[in-house]
Amino acid sequence: MSEFVSQPFEALVLAGPTASGKTASALALADDLPIEIISLDSALVFRHMDIGTAKPTLEERATCPHHLIDVVDPTERYSAARFCEDATRLIGEIRARGNVPLLTGGTMLYLKALHDGLSELPEADPALREEIDREAALRGWPALHAELARLDPEAAARLKPNDAQRIQRALEIVRLSGRSLADNYAQRVEQPRPRLFMIGLEPAERAVLHARIAQRFELMLAQGLVEEVRQLRERFALDPELPSMRCVGYRQTWEHLDGLYDRAELRDRGIYATRQLAKRQLTWQRKFAEEWPDFVRIDCLRPDLVEAVRVQVLGALSGAAWPA
């Protein structure tokens, strides 16, 4: 599609909170354009995790090519840095085929990293992580959170005392660098940053989105989320602190299988956690809208959502709706 290649952006982005209609809108665009979808979702990268991630079905994926889905096993990790590398490569390859790269999903950290660039953080140090884990086993994560508060009060203030994964990484960075997280994040890595035309879906009424979230999580339970997690635990050497099992829905199901609460409470906790995720995603999007003049916002509850997205995208491709 030569006219796309000539535009002042290299890829389209359709972001938004969970249950905002991103998948339907993205697939509808494939009716008009030679779309190839790049998943902007940190949960869809995991193989064998289909129900709780609301992974596009095989039929949906047959509509147009999909990328960055089923990339790693649940025992592995997939970072924002790897996403930026993979997404930048895929954007180039898709454009070289004359097609339109469309990034869609709700992992706002990935979108920010792709747009703004990555911070030059120290690489993970397995020995130091083991040392921190041993300290946590002896003293508890609240004690390590208190240590982080002494070393980096600003970072500690953003974390809960039992947020093991984030406390571990924050302590690791501070101990390795001798600098606060803010100072580390200020150091930017020189890397290609593809130019993006970005659309963010968000609800005019939060209560409607909450109702959708509840309906969606109940459907996941009906489709067999509990059995999916049970089989994952039997097949892989998993623990609840792995990124895969920290995904919304999976953490709550893990705790249910451990006997911490019944299925009714699993439903309530899963819905609440998903609502909190949506709240965080919308907070990210508000910041994007403030900081990035090229961020277009569309009410995801409007009845003509698919057409509204289509008009924005086709207008952008023709040069008519490129934001000032």
Side-chain angles (χ1 to χ4, degrees):
M1 189 169 183
S2 58
E3 63 269 28
F4 177 73
V5 175
S6 67
Q7 292 300 317
F9 56 89
E10 298 166 87
L12 305 171
V13 175
L14 182 61
T18 185
S20 59
K22 298 183 296 294
T23 297
S25 298
L27 293 176
L29 289 174
D31 293 335
D32 299 298
L33 299 167
I35 290 287
E36 294 193 35
I37 291 176
I38 302 172
S39 171
L40 186 67
D41 191 306
S42 61
L44 294 189
V45 300
F46 294 113
R47 303 183 189 104
H48 315 293
M49 292 173 54
D50 302 330
I51 297 173
T53 62
K55 192 171 288 180
T57 65
L58 294 178
E59 291 77 15
E60 289 171 330
R61 280 184 262 176
T63 304
C64 63
H66 284 62
H67 305 277
L68 300 189
I69 295 177
D70 294 337
V71 177
V72 296
D73 282 339
T75 52
E76 301 176 82
R77 297 173 186 269
Y78 188 89
S79 66
R82 183 171 171 185
F83 169 79
C84 288
E85 180 180 338
D86 288 345
T88 301
R89 171 182 53 80
L90 285 164
I91 288 170
E93 292 173 356
I94 293 167
R95 285 169 57 84
R97 290 192 284 270
N99 292 339
V100 181
L102 171 64
L103 295 103
T104 187
T107 302
M108 304 305 175
L109 175 63
Y110 285 6
L111 179 55
K112 181 173 177 59
L114 192 64
H115 183 274
D116 289 347
L118 289 160
S119 299
E120 195 169 0
L121 301 177
E123 292 186 6
D125 185 317
L128 179 56
R129 287 191 172 187
E130 287 184 14
E131 178 183 323
I132 293 171
D133 284 341
R134 285 195 299 270
E135 292 177 26
L138 290 172
R139 301 162 53 201
W141 285 107
L144 293 186
H145 182 265
E147 178 187 338
L148 180 63
R150 292 192 297 272
L151 297 172
D152 189 345
E154 183 181 348
R158 295 195 299 269
L159 302 178
K160 294 181 180 179
N162 284 307
D163 192 342
Q165 185 181 37
R166 291 181 175 86
I167 293 171
Q168 179 199 60
R169 180 56 176 155
L171 274 177
E172 179 186 36
I173 291 171
V174 172
R175 289 184 183 181
L176 286 172
S177 68
R179 301 193 304 267
S180 69
L181 260 67
D183 287 344
N184 275 282
Y185 279 116
Q187 305 297 315
R188 291 287 172 186
V189 178
E190 289 300 322
Q191 65 177 44
R193 299 183 199 174
R195 299 181 305 279
L196 307 171
F197 178 79
M198 297 182 288
I199 296 173
L201 305 183
E202 54 188 69
E205 296 181 46
R206 195 76 63 89
V208 178
L209 184 68
H210 289 173
R212 285 187 184 180
I213 286 170
Q215 183 180 29
R216 181 168 165 171
F217 192 75
E218 288 168 350
L219 178 60
M220 289 176 179
L221 289 175
Q223 290 174 332
L225 175 59
V226 173
E227 185 58 29
E228 179 176 77
V229 178
R230 193 194 316 275
Q231 291 177 4
L232 288 169
R233 285 167 45 133
E234 292 172 354
R235 181 173 180 180
F236 297 98
L238 298 172
D239 69 68
E241 296 307 320
L242 281 168
S244 61
M245 293 300 104
R246 289 175 63 87
C247 290
V248 166
Y250 287 88
R251 171 179 283 275
Q252 291 74 32
T253 305
W254 182 289
E255 292 170 348
H256 165 67
L257 288 171
D258 278 351
L260 298 184
Y261 38 79
D262 62 17
R263 189 180 178 93
E265 188 170 351
L266 163 61
R267 173 199 174 275
D268 293 342
R269 285 175 177 260
I271 291 171
Y272 176 77
T274 310
R275 287 174 56 173
Q276 292 301 107
L277 170 63
K279 181 180 178 181
R280 293 193 298 272
Q281 291 168 322
L282 288 167
T283 298
W284 277 92
Q285 285 203 169
R286 281 196 297 271
K287 288 190 66 177
F288 293 164
E290 292 169 1
E291 297 173 2
W292 304 344
D294 52 356
F295 197 86
V296 177
R297 302 163 81 180
I298 297 179
D299 177 13
C300 68
L301 303 182
R302 56 188 293 173
D304 62 341
L305 173 61
V306 169
E307 180 62 18
V309 171
R310 177 180 174 276
V311 167
Q312 279 289 337
V313 168
L314 294 180
L317 291 174
S318 69
W322 181 248

